[in-house]
Amino acid sequence: MRPDLELRADQAVSRALASAKRKVVYDCGFGGRDPRAAGPEDGEGKCDCSGADSYWLGRDRYRGTRFPGGWYETSAIVHDATQEHMDFQKVSTARPGDVIVYGDYRDARGKHHEGHCGMVITVTQKGLPKTVAHCCAREGLKSAIIVEAFSVFWEGAVKSRGAIIARPLFLKPAVG
């Protein structure tokens, strides 16, 4: 496990925004291992959503015995935010630097689907996510890391997949 960075929430958001300018290929299970690297991707340019979030938060996604399952991945983040509270706490209102996440799930036919996560970049006056950065597999993208409006995709994830807002307990408050 590589040493973590001590970041403020605004620094985490800046890392996410800077990553959106990098050429990254989505590949499940990759990236997010070196918080001091230039970007979240591994040496082959690959990263997934939880690898990107780990990097943006200044964490090595491998957590050893300190975190449920040993890795920052979507289902483990949900579990921690709702039960363990080692690194994350479920909250009802978002602020920049929070993680929006849903864990792995099975559809109506029983098919397994991986969960997904992203970082809240801006919020509405009511504390709802307004823009989100995330690493995703979407055809036609120059980079897998995108920053977009809180969209039908995320609203659907909240309603149908139980997405939650998870506050990183280790982030320091933003300046200003």
Side-chain angles (χ1 to χ4, degrees), residues 1 61-71:
M1 189 167 74
R61 77 185 296 176
Y62 177 69
R63 306 309 296 163
T65 58
R66 184 176 153 17
F67 197 74
W71 295 85

Side-chain angles (χ1 to χ4, degrees), residues 56-105:
W56 299 335
L57 294 168
R59 297 291 198 245
D60 178 346
R61 77 185 296 176
Y62 177 69
R63 306 309 296 163
T65 58
R66 184 176 153 17
F67 197 74
W71 295 85
Y72 277 172
E73 62 86 28
T74 58
S75 293
I77 293 170
V78 169
H79 176 81
D80 186 57
T82 58
Q83 297 179 37
E84 303 284 333
H85 311 296
M86 295 172 76
D87 285 351
F88 296 92
Q89 170 105 27
K90 180 181 175 182
V91 294
S92 58
T93 57
R95 63 184 184 203
D98 286 346
V99 174
I100 183 163
V101 58
Y102 61 89
D104 297 358
Y105 66 98

Side-chain angles (χ1 to χ4, degrees), residues 27-34 39-43 45-48 50-52 54-55 59-62 71-72:
D27 201 349
C28 192
F30 288 89
R33 289 301 319 274
D34 187 356
E41 68 277 8
D42 67 7
K46 298 176 181 179
C47 192
D48 70 4
S50 52
S54 299
Y55 172 80
R59 297 291 198 245
D60 178 346
R61 77 185 296 176
Y62 177 69
W71 295 85
Y72 277 172

Side-chain angles (χ1 to χ4, degrees), residues 7-14 95-97 121 171-176:
L7 298 177
R8 297 183 316 266
D10 57 310
Q11 291 172 309
V13 166
S14 292
R95 63 184 184 203
I121 302 299
L171 277 186
K172 297 175 185 176
V175 173

Side-chain angles (χ1 to χ4, degrees), residues 19-39:
S19 293
K21 298 173 185 166
R22 300 182 65 79
K23 186 173 167 88
V24 176
V25 175
Y26 181 88
D27 201 349
C28 192
F30 288 89
R33 289 301 319 274
D34 187 356
R36 288 173 170 73

